[in-house]
Amino acid sequence: MPQELLFELKDARVTPHIATFGGTSYQIANIGSVQVGRRKRSNPLAVLIFLLGLGILAAAIVQSRMTGLSDDYFSMAVTGVAVMFAALLLQLIWPGRVYVLILRTSSGDVDAVKSRNQEFVSNLQKAVEQAFVVRAREPSVSEAR
């Protein structure tokens, strides 16, 4: 018996009885609540800049050891540290954001979907909530007899 499709996009599919995200399926009846959370993650640009600063610092250390003239490479080392500090500030100011669909089940909270697209995750939340409503309107097995 085909089920009414409430939402389908990418690897996500929600019906009144089953929610499938990627390769994992959840029974709607086993989901207690659903919410969207926002998490911070590493900004790839900040990581790249930090590694560049680390490389400059390492090059300054290696060159000063090879030549024995540490004063000549002090400004290079300071530049490397300043670049690494700037990368840390960039991470604090402009972190990467990821939105997570969190399902509360009997076994605990599950991060079902992670995406940078807030609208997609919000639409999934609405579809799961709609599945709750549709299931609540269906007669139970004992009432059908």
Side-chain angles (χ1 to χ4, degrees):
M1 168 172 121
Q3 292 188 19
E4 175 187 359
L5 185 61
L6 301 174
F7 183 88
E8 184 172 29
L9 185 63
K10 299 180 184 176
D11 289 343
R13 178 182 170 93
V14 179
T15 70
H17 299 281
I18 303 287
T20 304
F21 309 112
T24 307
S25 297
Y26 302 90
Q27 288 187 3
I28 297 296
N30 292 338
I31 300 172
S33 67
V34 60
Q35 67 181 3
V36 173
R38 188 174 86 177
R39 307 236 172 95
K40 293 180 182 179
R41 63 182 191 94
S42 297
N43 182 332
L45 181 62
V47 171
L48 185 66
I49 292 171
F50 184 85
L51 292 174
L52 175 68
L54 189 62
I56 292 170
L57 179 62
I61 291 170
V62 167
Q63 290 294 328
S64 69
R65 299 250 181 200
M66 288 175 59
T67 61
L69 304 171
S70 58
D71 291 344
D72 292 348
Y73 295 99
F74 180 75
S75 63
M76 187 175 172
V78 169
T79 301
V81 170
V83 169
M84 290 174 15
F85 184 72
L88 292 175
L89 287 178
L90 178 64
Q91 176 63 36
L92 289 174
I93 294 169
W94 189 27
R97 290 195 176 21
V98 66
Y99 299 92
V100 182
L101 182 72
I102 304 166
L103 305 177
R104 176 151 296 155
T105 65
S106 58
S107 59
D109 290 354
V110 176
D111 292 352
V113 175
K114 294 179 184 178
S115 175
R116 291 176 24 172
N117 185 341
Q118 181 181 12
E119 183 180 359
F120 171 66
V121 177
S122 260
N123 288 339
L124 276 176
Q125 177 189 17
K126 290 173 188 167
V128 172
E129 289 169 347
Q130 185 181 0
F132 291 161
V133 171
V134 171
R135 278 193 53 82
R137 289 185 187 152
E138 289 180 351
S140 67
V141 175
S142 60
E143 292 175 8
R145 291 181 187 174

